[in-house]
C-alpha cells in the first residue's frame, strides 16, 4: 500500500505542473494575438503580470515529480534513462527555444512578430512533446515506434494541445473578469471551442483505449461516469454570462481535466513500466523511504504557509499593509 | 559541459540574493536612497538569472537521468535525499523571490519587506549546499555496502555528510559570494573606466565601495577555506592532491611547486619552494606527502589539474589583493588613486578572473576525480549511456548554452539602457 501512496505525490505534482505549464504556454498566445483577449494594453499587462516574475519556477513541479519517482522507485531509473533519451531530447530542444523566446518577450519586452510566433509554436509543442513522447513509454513499456504506439503518441499530443488551450483560455477569461477587464467574444469562442475539442478527444481516447489498450480502458472504466458528468456540467455552464461564472467555469475546467488526468494515471498503477516493472518491484529500501517522507513532511511545514503568503499578497489589496 | 554552464548561472543565483538583501538593509538603516535604488535595480538581474538558472537546472536534471543511467542507478539508491531537499529549497527561493520582487510598495514597514529577502538567501544557500553534498559524495563515497553490485545498508545521512562535504560546500559557497560581489564591483568599475561625464556618480561610487567590501570579506574567507580544503584533499583524496601539487614520490620535506609544465614524470621548470608543501599540509617540514607513484597509473587523475589548481589559487589571492589595495588607497586618503582608470581596469579584470576561478575550481574537482565518476566505485567510462542519441545531446546543448549566454546579457543590457539612472 505504501508503494501506491509513494507514487501519488509525483502524480499530484505532475497535475499541478500540467495546469501551471498550460497557463504559461497559453499566455504566449495572448501576447502574440492580443485581439483574442480584446482588452488592449490592460489585457497585455495582465498576462505579463501573471507570467512574471519567475515563470520557470513552474518547472520545479516537473523536477520534483521526476526526482520523487527516482527516489522511491530507483530500480526503474536505468530503464527510464535509456528509453526516454530521445523523447526528452525533443522536449529539451523545444524548451530551450521556448526559454529564449520567453526571455525575449517577457523580460526584454521585445516585439518581433516572428519570435513571438515561434514562442507560441514552441509553447504548444512542449506539452505535446511531453505527453506524446514520454507518457506512451510508461503505458506501453516500449519505445513508441510501432503503429499502436505512434497512434497513442499522436493522440496524447492532441489531448495535451487541447488541454493547454482549454485551461489557459479558461484561466485568462477568469483573470480578466477578476480584474474587471472588458474582453471580446473571441475569448469566449476560443474557450468554448477548446472545451468542445477537449471533451471530444478524451471520449475518443476512451473508445480507442478499449480496442488497443484494454488494460487502461478497464482501469479508467470506473471514472467514466464522473468524467461524463463533469463534461455535461461544463457544457451547461458554457453559455452563462462571462463575468459572474468565470471563476466557477475555471474550476470546472480544472475538474474535468483533473478527472481525466487522474483516471489515466491511476489506471497505469501498479506499473511504472508496463509490464516489466511495478511500484512493488522497483520500490526503494524502507529506511530511505522513511527519511524521504520525513524530510518532505518538514519541508511541507515551511513551504505550504509560504505559498499561502504568496497567494495572499498577490490576490489582496494593493495598498501598503 | 552542462554543469560548467549551469554553475555559471547558479553561482549568481546564490550570490545575488545576499547582495540585494545587504543593499536594502543598509538603505533602511542609513535611510540612503542610493542603496535602495541599488537593491531595486539588482532585483531584475536576480529574477532573470534565476529564470536562466532554472532552465539550465531543468536540463541538468533530465540530462542526468538520460545520459548517466548507471550513475543515477547508484545515486537514486544511496544519495537521493539531497536532491529531494534541494527541490524544497528551490521552492522556498522561488516563492519568496516572487514575494520580494513584487511587493516593494506593499509594506508600510520596510523592515517587513527586507525580511522576505531572508528566505531567498536561505533557499539559495541550501540549494547550493545540498547539491554540493552530492558532488562531495562522488569524491568520498560512503553510507552504503556494495556486494557484487548489490547495494545495501544504505544510510542517506552518512552518504550526504561524507568527509569532503564540510570543506567543499564551505569553499564553493564562499567563492560564489565573493565572485558575485566582484562582478558587481566590476560593473561599477566599468563606468569609471569609460570616464565620460558620468551620471549618478555618487550611486556608482557607493556601489563600487560596497561591492568591494563584500568581495574582500568573502575573498579572505575563500583563501582560508581553500587552505583547509587543500589539506582535506591531501587526507581524503591523496592521488588528487599529489597530481594538483605535482608530487611524484612519497616524501617528507616535500617542496611546493608553482607553475611549470606537467609531465608523467613530474613538473618541469616550476618555481620550487623546498619543504613548503609538507609545512602547508601538516605544519611541519617532517610531514610525509604521498606521491603519485604510490598509486596505480590507471587511476591517476588528469595531470592538467595542476594548472587549474595554480590558476585558481592565484586568482584567489588577486581577489583578496585588489580590494585590499583599493581600501589602502582610501585609508591613505588617495581617492584619486582608488577611483582612477587604472584601479577600475584592475577591478574589472578581477571580476572576470573571479568567474574563471570558479570554473577552474569546478574543473579541478571533476578532472581531479577521473577516471572515476564515483571515486573508486564507478568509472566514468561506465557511467554514461551507450545510446547514439547522446551525441545529439553533446551537439545541441552547447549551441543552446551559447545562445542563452548571449541572450541573457543582451536582455540585461537592454533593460538597463531603457531604465537609466536619474542623477
Amino acid at each position: 500500500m505504501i508503494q501506491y501512496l509513494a507514487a501519488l505525490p509525483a502524480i499530484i505534482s505532475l497535475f499541478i505542473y500540467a495546469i501551471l505549464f498550460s497557463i504559461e504556454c497559453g499566455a504566449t498566445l495572448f501576447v502574440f494575438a492580443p485581439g483574442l483577449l480584446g482588452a488592449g494594453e490592460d489585457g497585455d499587462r495582465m498576462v505579463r503580470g501573471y507570467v512574471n516574475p519567475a515563470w520557470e519556477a513552474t518547472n520545479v513541479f516537473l523536477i520534483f515529480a521526476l526526482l520523487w519517482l527516482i527516489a522511491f522507485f530507483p530500480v526503474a531509473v536505468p530503464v527510464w534513462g535509456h528509453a526516454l533519451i530521445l523523447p526528452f531530447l525533443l522536449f529539451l530542444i523545444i524548451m530551450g527555444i521556448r526559454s529564449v523566446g520567453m526571455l525575449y518577450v517577457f523580460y526584454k519586452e521585445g516585439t518581433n512578430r516572428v519570435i513571438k510566433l515561434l514562442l507560441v509554436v514552441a509553447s504548444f509543442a512542449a506539452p505535446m512533446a511531453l505527453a506524446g513522447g514520454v507518457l506512451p513509454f510508461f503505458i506501453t513499456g516500449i519505445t513508441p515506434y510501432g503503429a499502436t504506439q505512434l497512434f497513442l503518441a499522436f493522440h496524447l499530443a492532441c489531448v495535451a494541445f487541447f488541454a493547454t488551450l482549454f485551461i489557459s483560455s479558461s484561466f485568462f477569461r477568469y483573470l480578466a473578469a477578476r480584474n474587471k477587464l472588458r474582453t471580446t467574444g473571441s475569448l469566449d469562442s476560443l474557450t468554448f471551442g477548446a472545451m468542445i475539442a477537449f471533451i471530444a478527444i478524451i471520449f475518443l481516447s476512451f473508445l480507442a483505449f478499449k480496442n488497443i489498450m484494454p488494460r487502461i480502458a478497464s482501469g479508467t472504466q470506473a471514472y467514466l461516469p464522473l468524467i461524463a458528468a463533469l463534461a455535461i456540467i461544463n457544457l451547461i455552464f458554457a453559455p452563462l454570462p462571462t463575468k459572474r461564472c468565470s471563476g466557477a467555469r475555471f474550476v470546472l475546467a480544472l475538474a474535468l481535466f483533473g478527472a481525466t488526468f487522474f483516471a489515466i494515471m491511476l489506471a497505469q498503477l501498479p506499473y511504472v513500466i508496463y509490464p516489466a516493472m511495478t511500484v512493488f518491484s522497483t520500490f526503494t529500501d524502507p529506511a530511505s523511504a522513511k527519511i524521504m517522507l520525513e524530510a518532505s513532511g518538514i519541508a511541507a511545514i515551511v513551504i505550504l504557509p509560504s505559498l499561502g503568503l504568496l497567494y495572499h499578497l498577490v490576490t489582496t489589496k494593493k495598498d501598503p499593509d | 559541459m552542462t554543469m560548467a554552464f549551469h554553475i555559471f548561472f547558479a553561482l549568481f543565483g546564490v550570490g545575488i540574493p545576499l547582495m540585494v538583501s545587504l543593499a536594502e538593509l543598509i538603505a533602511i538603516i542609513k535611510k540612503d536612497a542610493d542603496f535602495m535604488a541599488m537593491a531595486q535595480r539588482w532585483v531584475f538581474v536576480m529574477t532573470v538569472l534565476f529564470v536562466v538558472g532554472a532552465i539550465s537546472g531543468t536540463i541538468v536534471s533530465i540530462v542526468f537521468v538520460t545520459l548517466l543511467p548507471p550513475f543515477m542507478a547508484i545515486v537514486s539508491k544511496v544519495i537521493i535525499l539531497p536532491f529531494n531537499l534541494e527541490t524544497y529549497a528551490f521552492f522556498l527561493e522561488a516563492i519568496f523571490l516572487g514575494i520580494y520582487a513584487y511587493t516593494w510598495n506593499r509594506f508600510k514597514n520596510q523592515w517587513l519587506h527586507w525580511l522576505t529577502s531572508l528566505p531567498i538567501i536561505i533557499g539559495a544557500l541550501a540549494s547550493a549546499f545540498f547539491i554540493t553534498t552530492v558532488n562531495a559524495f562522488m569524491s568520498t563515497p560512503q553510507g552504503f555496502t556494495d556486494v557484487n553490485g548489490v547495494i545495501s545498508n544504505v544510510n542517506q545521512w552518512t552518504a550526504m555528510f561524507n568527509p569532503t562535504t564540510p570543506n567543499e560546500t564551505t569553499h564553493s559557497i564562499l567563492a560564489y559570494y565573493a565572485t558575485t560581489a566582484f562582478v558587481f564591483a566590476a560593473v561599477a568599475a566599468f563606468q569609471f573606466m569609460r570616464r565620460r561625464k558620468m551620471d549618478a556618480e555618487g550611486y556608482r561610487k557607493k556601489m563600487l565601495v560596497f561591492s568591494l567590501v563584500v568581495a574582500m570579506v568573502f575573498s579572505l574567507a575563500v583563501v582560508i577555506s581553500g587552505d583547509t580544503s587543500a589539506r582535506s584533499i591531501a587526507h581524503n583524496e591523496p592521488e588528487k592532491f599529489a597530481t594538483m601539487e605535482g608530487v611524484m614520490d612519497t616524501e617528507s620535506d616535500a617542496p611546493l611547486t608553482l607553475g611549470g609544465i606537467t609531465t608523467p614524470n613530474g613538473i618541469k621548470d616550476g618555481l620550487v619552494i623546498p619543504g613548503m608543501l609538507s609545512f602547508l599540509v601538516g605544519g611541519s617540514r617532517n610531514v610525509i606527502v604521498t606521491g603519485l607513484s604510490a598509486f596505480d597509473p590507471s587511476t591517476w587523475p588528469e595531470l592538467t589539474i595542476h594548472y587549474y589548481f595554480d590558476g585558481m589559487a592565484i586568482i584567489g589571492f588577486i581577489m583578496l589583493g585588489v580590494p585590499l589595495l583599493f581600501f589602502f588607497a582610501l585609508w591613505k586618503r588617495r581617492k584619486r588613486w582608488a577611483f582612477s582608470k587604472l584601479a577600475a581596469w584592475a577591478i574589472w579584470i578581477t571580476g572576470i578572473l573571479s568567474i574563471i576561478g570558479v570554473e577552474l575550481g569546478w574543473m579541478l574537482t571533476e578532472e581531479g576525480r577521473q577516471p572515476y565518476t564515483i571515486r573508486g566505485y564507478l568509472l566514468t567510462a561506465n557511467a554514461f549511456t551507450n545510446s547514439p542519441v547522446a551525441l545529439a545531446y553533446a551537439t545541441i546543448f552547447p549551441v543552446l548554452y551559447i545562445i542563452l549566454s548571449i541572450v541573457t546579457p543582451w536582455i540585461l543590457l537592454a533593460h538597463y539602457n531603457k531604465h537609466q539612472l536619474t542623477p
Side-chain angles (χ1 to χ4, degrees), chain A residues 187-213:
Chain A
L187 183 61
D188 296 339
S189 306
L190 180 72
T191 313
F192 187 70
M195 181 180 69
I196 295 291
F198 180 68
I199 290 171
I201 201 155
I202 57 172
F203 279 99
L204 275 174
S205 301
F206 292 122
L207 279 176
F209 286 154
K210 211 167 191 174
N211 293 318
I212 62 171
M213 261 156 289

PDB file of all heavy atoms in Angstrom, chain A residues 187-213:
ATOM      1  N   LEU A 187     -12.561  35.550 -27.030  1.00  0.00           N
ATOM      2  CA  LEU A 187     -12.042  34.731 -25.933  1.00  0.00           C
ATOM      3  C   LEU A 187     -13.073  33.673 -25.526  1.00  0.00           C
ATOM      4  O   LEU A 187     -12.725  32.518 -25.278  1.00  0.00           O
ATOM      5  CB  LEU A 187     -11.688  35.626 -24.731  1.00  0.00           C
ATOM      6  CG  LEU A 187     -11.074  34.919 -23.532  1.00  0.00           C
ATOM      7  CD1 LEU A 187      -9.764  34.241 -23.896  1.00  0.00           C
ATOM      8  CD2 LEU A 187     -10.844  35.901 -22.387  1.00  0.00           C
ATOM      9  N   ASP A 188     -14.362  34.095 -25.493  1.00  0.00           N
ATOM     10  CA  ASP A 188     -15.427  33.139 -25.158  1.00  0.00           C
ATOM     11  C   ASP A 188     -15.488  32.021 -26.204  1.00  0.00           C
ATOM     12  O   ASP A 188     -15.599  30.840 -25.861  1.00  0.00           O
ATOM     13  CB  ASP A 188     -16.784  33.843 -25.098  1.00  0.00           C
ATOM     14  CG  ASP A 188     -16.828  34.880 -23.974  1.00  0.00           C
ATOM     15  OD1 ASP A 188     -15.994  34.755 -23.042  1.00  0.00           O
ATOM     16  OD2 ASP A 188     -17.656  35.793 -24.044  1.00  0.00           O
ATOM     17  N   SER A 189     -15.382  32.421 -27.474  1.00  0.00           N
ATOM     18  CA  SER A 189     -15.439  31.422 -28.555  1.00  0.00           C
ATOM     19  C   SER A 189     -14.258  30.471 -28.480  1.00  0.00           C
ATOM     20  O   SER A 189     -14.404  29.255 -28.660  1.00  0.00           O
ATOM     21  CB  SER A 189     -15.420  32.108 -29.927  1.00  0.00           C
ATOM     22  OG  SER A 189     -16.448  33.045 -29.982  1.00  0.00           O
ATOM     23  N   LEU A 190     -13.076  31.040 -28.198  1.00  0.00           N
ATOM     24  CA  LEU A 190     -11.876  30.214 -28.110  1.00  0.00           C
ATOM     25  C   LEU A 190     -12.008  29.198 -26.974  1.00  0.00           C
ATOM     26  O   LEU A 190     -11.723  28.004 -27.148  1.00  0.00           O
ATOM     27  CB  LEU A 190     -10.654  31.105 -27.871  1.00  0.00           C
ATOM     28  CG  LEU A 190      -9.315  30.390 -27.747  1.00  0.00           C
ATOM     29  CD1 LEU A 190      -8.854  29.862 -29.098  1.00  0.00           C
ATOM     30  CD2 LEU A 190      -8.238  31.318 -27.172  1.00  0.00           C
ATOM     31  N   THR A 191     -12.470  29.661 -25.820  1.00  0.00           N
ATOM     32  CA  THR A 191     -12.618  28.779 -24.658  1.00  0.00           C
ATOM     33  C   THR A 191     -13.639  27.686 -24.957  1.00  0.00           C
ATOM     34  O   THR A 191     -13.413  26.500 -24.655  1.00  0.00           O
ATOM     35  CB  THR A 191     -13.061  29.593 -23.423  1.00  0.00           C
ATOM     36  OG1 THR A 191     -12.250  30.750 -23.326  1.00  0.00           O
ATOM     37  CG2 THR A 191     -12.944  28.792 -22.152  1.00  0.00           C
ATOM     38  N   PHE A 192     -14.762  28.093 -25.561  1.00  0.00           N
ATOM     39  CA  PHE A 192     -15.820  27.131 -25.856  1.00  0.00           C
ATOM     40  C   PHE A 192     -15.328  26.090 -26.873  1.00  0.00           C
ATOM     41  O   PHE A 192     -15.538  24.882 -26.701  1.00  0.00           O
ATOM     42  CB  PHE A 192     -17.063  27.865 -26.400  1.00  0.00           C
ATOM     43  CG  PHE A 192     -18.249  26.970 -26.573  1.00  0.00           C
ATOM     44  CD1 PHE A 192     -18.916  26.462 -25.460  1.00  0.00           C
ATOM     45  CD2 PHE A 192     -18.695  26.623 -27.836  1.00  0.00           C
ATOM     46  CE1 PHE A 192     -20.012  25.621 -25.615  1.00  0.00           C
ATOM     47  CE2 PHE A 192     -19.788  25.784 -27.998  1.00  0.00           C
ATOM     48  CZ  PHE A 192     -20.444  25.282 -26.883  1.00  0.00           C
ATOM     49  N   GLY A 193     -14.658  26.581 -27.916  1.00  0.00           N
ATOM     50  CA  GLY A 193     -14.148  25.670 -28.948  1.00  0.00           C
ATOM     51  C   GLY A 193     -13.143  24.688 -28.363  1.00  0.00           C
ATOM     52  O   GLY A 193     -13.173  23.485 -28.666  1.00  0.00           O
ATOM     53  N   ALA A 194     -12.243  25.205 -27.496  1.00  0.00           N
ATOM     54  CA  ALA A 194     -11.228  24.341 -26.884  1.00  0.00           C
ATOM     55  C   ALA A 194     -11.882  23.299 -25.985  1.00  0.00           C
ATOM     56  O   ALA A 194     -11.459  22.139 -25.957  1.00  0.00           O
ATOM     57  CB  ALA A 194     -10.248  25.188 -26.079  1.00  0.00           C
ATOM     58  N   MET A 195     -12.945  23.721 -25.294  1.00  0.00           N
ATOM     59  CA  MET A 195     -13.645  22.788 -24.405  1.00  0.00           C
ATOM     60  C   MET A 195     -14.299  21.653 -25.211  1.00  0.00           C
ATOM     61  O   MET A 195     -14.169  20.473 -24.858  1.00  0.00           O
ATOM     62  CB  MET A 195     -14.711  23.536 -23.600  1.00  0.00           C
ATOM     63  CG  MET A 195     -15.479  22.652 -22.640  1.00  0.00           C
ATOM     64  SD  MET A 195     -16.715  23.570 -21.741  1.00  0.00           S
ATOM     65  CE  MET A 195     -17.866  23.940 -23.013  1.00  0.00           C
ATOM     66  N   ILE A 196     -15.003  22.030 -26.296  1.00  0.00           N
ATOM     67  CA  ILE A 196     -15.658  21.017 -27.131  1.00  0.00           C
ATOM     68  C   ILE A 196     -14.616  20.033 -27.684  1.00  0.00           C
ATOM     69  O   ILE A 196     -14.793  18.806 -27.642  1.00  0.00           O
ATOM     70  CB  ILE A 196     -16.415  21.692 -28.313  1.00  0.00           C
ATOM     71  CG1 ILE A 196     -17.556  22.560 -27.776  1.00  0.00           C
ATOM     72  CG2 ILE A 196     -16.931  20.665 -29.318  1.00  0.00           C
ATOM     73  CD1 ILE A 196     -18.705  21.805 -27.168  1.00  0.00           C
ATOM     74  N   ALA A 197     -13.502  20.590 -28.190  1.00  0.00           N
ATOM     75  CA  ALA A 197     -12.455  19.739 -28.766  1.00  0.00           C
ATOM     76  C   ALA A 197     -11.859  18.820 -27.699  1.00  0.00           C
ATOM     77  O   ALA A 197     -11.612  17.636 -27.964  1.00  0.00           O
ATOM     78  CB  ALA A 197     -11.360  20.611 -29.379  1.00  0.00           C
ATOM     79  N   PHE A 198     -11.657  19.373 -26.494  1.00  0.00           N
ATOM     80  CA  PHE A 198     -11.062  18.575 -25.418  1.00  0.00           C
ATOM     81  C   PHE A 198     -11.998  17.429 -25.010  1.00  0.00           C
ATOM     82  O   PHE A 198     -11.579  16.276 -24.880  1.00  0.00           O
ATOM     83  CB  PHE A 198     -10.757  19.481 -24.209  1.00  0.00           C
ATOM     84  CG  PHE A 198     -10.145  18.738 -23.052  1.00  0.00           C
ATOM     85  CD1 PHE A 198      -8.863  18.217 -23.144  1.00  0.00           C
ATOM     86  CD2 PHE A 198     -10.851  18.545 -21.874  1.00  0.00           C
ATOM     87  CE1 PHE A 198      -8.294  17.529 -22.086  1.00  0.00           C
ATOM     88  CE2 PHE A 198     -10.301  17.852 -20.807  1.00  0.00           C
ATOM     89  CZ  PHE A 198      -9.011  17.341 -20.917  1.00  0.00           C
ATOM     90  N   ILE A 199     -13.284  17.760 -24.850  1.00  0.00           N
ATOM     91  CA  ILE A 199     -14.254  16.722 -24.464  1.00  0.00           C
ATOM     92  C   ILE A 199     -14.320  15.634 -25.551  1.00  0.00           C
ATOM     93  O   ILE A 199     -14.306  14.434 -25.263  1.00  0.00           O
ATOM     94  CB  ILE A 199     -15.651  17.342 -24.212  1.00  0.00           C
ATOM     95  CG1 ILE A 199     -15.611  18.190 -22.922  1.00  0.00           C
ATOM     96  CG2 ILE A 199     -16.719  16.264 -24.095  1.00  0.00           C
ATOM     97  CD1 ILE A 199     -16.849  19.028 -22.682  1.00  0.00           C
ATOM     98  N   ALA A 200     -14.366  16.094 -26.810  1.00  0.00           N
ATOM     99  CA  ALA A 200     -14.451  15.130 -27.920  1.00  0.00           C
ATOM    100  C   ALA A 200     -13.248  14.201 -27.927  1.00  0.00           C
ATOM    101  O   ALA A 200     -13.387  12.973 -28.052  1.00  0.00           O
ATOM    102  CB  ALA A 200     -14.548  15.883 -29.247  1.00  0.00           C
ATOM    103  N   ILE A 201     -12.081  14.779 -27.743  1.00  0.00           N
ATOM    104  CA  ILE A 201     -10.869  13.950 -27.873  1.00  0.00           C
ATOM    105  C   ILE A 201     -10.695  13.008 -26.685  1.00  0.00           C
ATOM    106  O   ILE A 201     -10.207  11.892 -26.844  1.00  0.00           O
ATOM    107  CB  ILE A 201      -9.612  14.818 -28.118  1.00  0.00           C
ATOM    108  CG1 ILE A 201      -8.521  13.957 -28.755  1.00  0.00           C
ATOM    109  CG2 ILE A 201      -9.075  15.456 -26.852  1.00  0.00           C
ATOM    110  CD1 ILE A 201      -7.526  14.695 -29.564  1.00  0.00           C
ATOM    111  N   ILE A 202     -11.151  13.422 -25.487  1.00  0.00           N
ATOM    112  CA  ILE A 202     -10.977  12.478 -24.372  1.00  0.00           C
ATOM    113  C   ILE A 202     -11.956  11.304 -24.493  1.00  0.00           C
ATOM    114  O   ILE A 202     -11.610  10.176 -24.159  1.00  0.00           O
ATOM    115  CB  ILE A 202     -11.063  13.150 -22.977  1.00  0.00           C
ATOM    116  CG1 ILE A 202     -12.369  13.884 -22.784  1.00  0.00           C
ATOM    117  CG2 ILE A 202      -9.868  14.024 -22.687  1.00  0.00           C
ATOM    118  CD1 ILE A 202     -12.578  14.391 -21.358  1.00  0.00           C
ATOM    119  N   PHE A 203     -13.141  11.579 -25.034  1.00  0.00           N
ATOM    120  CA  PHE A 203     -14.053  10.438 -25.203  1.00  0.00           C
ATOM    121  C   PHE A 203     -13.603   9.542 -26.360  1.00  0.00           C
ATOM    122  O   PHE A 203     -13.778   8.329 -26.315  1.00  0.00           O
ATOM    123  CB  PHE A 203     -15.499  10.922 -25.357  1.00  0.00           C
ATOM    124  CG  PHE A 203     -16.097  11.229 -24.013  1.00  0.00           C
ATOM    125  CD1 PHE A 203     -16.169  12.532 -23.536  1.00  0.00           C
ATOM    126  CD2 PHE A 203     -16.524  10.203 -23.170  1.00  0.00           C
ATOM    127  CE1 PHE A 203     -16.666  12.808 -22.271  1.00  0.00           C
ATOM    128  CE2 PHE A 203     -17.029  10.474 -21.901  1.00  0.00           C
ATOM    129  CZ  PHE A 203     -17.098  11.780 -21.450  1.00  0.00           C
ATOM    130  N   LEU A 204     -12.995  10.157 -27.376  1.00  0.00           N
ATOM    131  CA  LEU A 204     -12.383   9.335 -28.439  1.00  0.00           C
ATOM    132  C   LEU A 204     -11.254   8.488 -27.857  1.00  0.00           C
ATOM    133  O   LEU A 204     -11.057   7.337 -28.259  1.00  0.00           O
ATOM    134  CB  LEU A 204     -11.809  10.248 -29.536  1.00  0.00           C
ATOM    135  CG  LEU A 204     -12.781  10.715 -30.606  1.00  0.00           C
ATOM    136  CD1 LEU A 204     -12.097  11.725 -31.532  1.00  0.00           C
ATOM    137  CD2 LEU A 204     -13.273   9.521 -31.434  1.00  0.00           C
ATOM    138  N   SER A 205     -10.526   9.073 -26.893  1.00  0.00           N
ATOM    139  CA  SER A 205      -9.427   8.331 -26.249  1.00  0.00           C
ATOM    140  C   SER A 205      -9.937   7.069 -25.603  1.00  0.00           C
ATOM    141  O   SER A 205      -9.370   5.983 -25.785  1.00  0.00           O
ATOM    142  CB  SER A 205      -8.785   9.167 -25.141  1.00  0.00           C
ATOM    143  OG  SER A 205      -8.300  10.346 -25.621  1.00  0.00           O
ATOM    144  N   PHE A 206     -11.028   7.219 -24.851  1.00  0.00           N
ATOM    145  CA  PHE A 206     -11.530   6.058 -24.126  1.00  0.00           C
ATOM    146  C   PHE A 206     -12.045   4.984 -25.084  1.00  0.00           C
ATOM    147  O   PHE A 206     -11.887   3.792 -24.836  1.00  0.00           O
ATOM    148  CB  PHE A 206     -12.601   6.478 -23.118  1.00  0.00           C
ATOM    149  CG  PHE A 206     -12.027   7.291 -21.993  1.00  0.00           C
ATOM    150  CD1 PHE A 206     -12.470   8.573 -21.718  1.00  0.00           C
ATOM    151  CD2 PHE A 206     -10.992   6.785 -21.204  1.00  0.00           C
ATOM    152  CE1 PHE A 206     -11.917   9.323 -20.695  1.00  0.00           C
ATOM    153  CE2 PHE A 206     -10.428   7.536 -20.190  1.00  0.00           C
ATOM    154  CZ  PHE A 206     -10.893   8.799 -19.924  1.00  0.00           C
ATOM    155  N   LEU A 207     -12.610   5.438 -26.218  1.00  0.00           N
ATOM    156  CA  LEU A 207     -13.030   4.472 -27.238  1.00  0.00           C
ATOM    157  C   LEU A 207     -11.812   3.748 -27.823  1.00  0.00           C
ATOM    158  O   LEU A 207     -11.819   2.536 -28.012  1.00  0.00           O
ATOM    159  CB  LEU A 207     -13.781   5.190 -28.365  1.00  0.00           C
ATOM    160  CG  LEU A 207     -15.253   5.507 -28.103  1.00  0.00           C
ATOM    161  CD1 LEU A 207     -15.828   6.306 -29.266  1.00  0.00           C
ATOM    162  CD2 LEU A 207     -16.047   4.206 -27.915  1.00  0.00           C
ATOM    163  N   ALA A 208     -10.765   4.543 -28.081  1.00  0.00           N
ATOM    164  CA  ALA A 208      -9.545   3.958 -28.660  1.00  0.00           C
ATOM    165  C   ALA A 208      -8.883   2.998 -27.683  1.00  0.00           C
ATOM    166  O   ALA A 208      -8.434   1.919 -28.066  1.00  0.00           O
ATOM    167  CB  ALA A 208      -8.575   5.081 -29.047  1.00  0.00           C
ATOM    168  N   PHE A 209      -8.836   3.410 -26.402  1.00  0.00           N
ATOM    169  CA  PHE A 209      -8.214   2.553 -25.380  1.00  0.00           C
ATOM    170  C   PHE A 209      -8.893   1.178 -25.331  1.00  0.00           C
ATOM    171  O   PHE A 209      -8.247   0.163 -25.136  1.00  0.00           O
ATOM    172  CB  PHE A 209      -8.307   3.195 -24.004  1.00  0.00           C
ATOM    173  CG  PHE A 209      -7.347   4.350 -23.806  1.00  0.00           C
ATOM    174  CD1 PHE A 209      -7.631   5.360 -22.896  1.00  0.00           C
ATOM    175  CD2 PHE A 209      -6.160   4.412 -24.506  1.00  0.00           C
ATOM    176  CE1 PHE A 209      -6.760   6.413 -22.708  1.00  0.00           C
ATOM    177  CE2 PHE A 209      -5.270   5.467 -24.322  1.00  0.00           C
ATOM    178  CZ  PHE A 209      -5.573   6.466 -23.423  1.00  0.00           C
ATOM    179  N   LYS A 210     -10.204   1.194 -25.528  1.00  0.00           N
ATOM    180  CA  LYS A 210     -10.974  -0.045 -25.420  1.00  0.00           C
ATOM    181  C   LYS A 210     -10.452  -1.093 -26.416  1.00  0.00           C
ATOM    182  O   LYS A 210     -10.404  -2.280 -26.117  1.00  0.00           O
ATOM    183  CB  LYS A 210     -12.453   0.257 -25.706  1.00  0.00           C
ATOM    184  CG  LYS A 210     -13.396  -0.653 -24.963  1.00  0.00           C
ATOM    185  CD  LYS A 210     -14.789  -0.087 -25.036  1.00  0.00           C
ATOM    186  CE  LYS A 210     -15.687  -0.816 -24.077  1.00  0.00           C
ATOM    187  NZ  LYS A 210     -17.013  -0.227 -24.006  1.00  0.00           N
ATOM    188  N   ASN A 211     -10.061  -0.616 -27.598  1.00  0.00           N
ATOM    189  CA  ASN A 211      -9.605  -1.544 -28.631  1.00  0.00           C
ATOM    190  C   ASN A 211      -8.110  -1.853 -28.544  1.00  0.00           C
ATOM    191  O   ASN A 211      -7.705  -2.989 -28.712  1.00  0.00           O
ATOM    192  CB  ASN A 211      -9.916  -0.971 -30.021  1.00  0.00           C
ATOM    193  CG  ASN A 211     -11.416  -0.909 -30.244  1.00  0.00           C
ATOM    194  OD1 ASN A 211     -12.138  -1.837 -29.898  1.00  0.00           O
ATOM    195  ND2 ASN A 211     -11.877   0.204 -30.774  1.00  0.00           N
ATOM    196  N   ILE A 212      -7.318  -0.806 -28.298  1.00  0.00           N
ATOM    197  CA  ILE A 212      -5.868  -1.045 -28.381  1.00  0.00           C
ATOM    198  C   ILE A 212      -5.205  -1.206 -27.026  1.00  0.00           C
ATOM    199  O   ILE A 212      -4.127  -1.777 -26.931  1.00  0.00           O
ATOM    200  CB  ILE A 212      -5.142   0.055 -29.198  1.00  0.00           C
ATOM    201  CG1 ILE A 212      -5.308   1.439 -28.541  1.00  0.00           C
ATOM    202  CG2 ILE A 212      -5.587   0.061 -30.636  1.00  0.00           C
ATOM    203  CD1 ILE A 212      -4.451   2.503 -29.176  1.00  0.00           C
ATOM    204  N   MET A 213      -5.806  -0.696 -25.961  1.00  0.00           N
ATOM    205  CA  MET A 213      -5.203  -0.855 -24.634  1.00  0.00           C
ATOM    206  C   MET A 213      -6.263  -1.199 -23.599  1.00  0.00           C
ATOM    207  O   MET A 213      -6.678  -0.346 -22.800  1.00  0.00           O
ATOM    208  CB  MET A 213      -4.471   0.423 -24.237  1.00  0.00           C
ATOM    209  CG  MET A 213      -2.976   0.326 -24.473  1.00  0.00           C
ATOM    210  SD  MET A 213      -2.232   1.901 -24.689  1.00  0.00           S
ATOM    211  CE  MET A 213      -2.828   2.374 -26.279  1.00  0.00           C
TER     212      MET A 213
END
